[in-house]
Amino acid sequence: MLILRCPAQLQLLEETLRKSLPTTLPVLGTVMTVARGNPASHEVLVDSWPHFGIVLTRLRPEDHRDPRDYYTNQLSVFYRDKGALQALLEGTEAVSRGRAFQILGLQDGLDEAVQEVASARGLKVE
């Protein structure tokens, strides 16, 4: 996963996400916040650039204080391709399995994908 920090990249991503409202709403707010100074210490990650399949927003890992606090470790996701979502949940280090987290998204299939990956790893999902 690539972390977007460049203002031009964030602006382009913001414009792209606006075209797919309301499903992009969970990530769009964070993208806008990061592009405008990032007072909340968030990150915007994509699987590739500029043709991304998934966007993930999260608090910077160094700002996590309690690994059991899933409110602090809140992830927001927008994906164009379910395969990209599966790859994110199964194989990347972008989603830390060493701490509790909650994942937000408005797209169909998100719950099922999370349940599938969790059950394959023997993890509990609430």
Side-chain angles (χ1 to χ4, degrees):
M1 298 286 291
L2 306 169
I3 299 173
L4 297 185
R5 293 186 179 99
C6 173
Q9 290 176 329
L10 291 165
Q11 182 63 36
L12 181 59
L13 180 59
E14 182 180 331
E15 292 169 9
T16 303
L17 294 173
R18 284 180 184 272
K19 295 175 186 174
S20 297
L21 282 169
T23 56
T24 59
L25 196 55
V27 296
L28 180 59
T30 303
V31 171
M32 292 171 65
T33 300
V34 171
R36 288 160 180 80
N38 198 16
S41 296
H42 280 86
E43 293 180 324
V44 176
L45 295 90
V46 293
D47 58 344
S48 61
W49 186 257
H51 304 288
F52 62 89
I54 192 163
V55 178
L56 174 77
T57 64
R58 67 181 185 188
L59 186 66
R60 290 184 189 145
E62 61 269 15
D63 291 329
H64 294 287
R65 290 175 186 85
D66 183 356
R68 297 166 296 169
D69 184 1
Y70 56 86
Y71 289 110
T72 302
N73 195 17
Q74 181 173 303
L75 311 171
S76 297
V77 67
F78 168 74
Y79 54 92
R80 293 178 170 168
D81 173 19
K82 274 191 166 179
L85 175 63
Q86 287 291 117
L88 172 78
L89 295 172
E90 291 175 349
T92 68
E93 294 302 315
V95 178
S96 173
R97 285 156 194 83
R99 62 183 81 218
F101 66 90
Q102 61 179 324
I103 189 164
L104 306 172
L106 295 176
Q107 294 166 275
D108 291 335
L110 178 61
D111 291 340
E112 292 84 12
V114 170
Q115 290 286 350
E116 286 175 24
V117 171
S119 64
R121 293 180 179 258
L123 300 173
K124 180 182 173 187
V125 176
E126 294 179 10

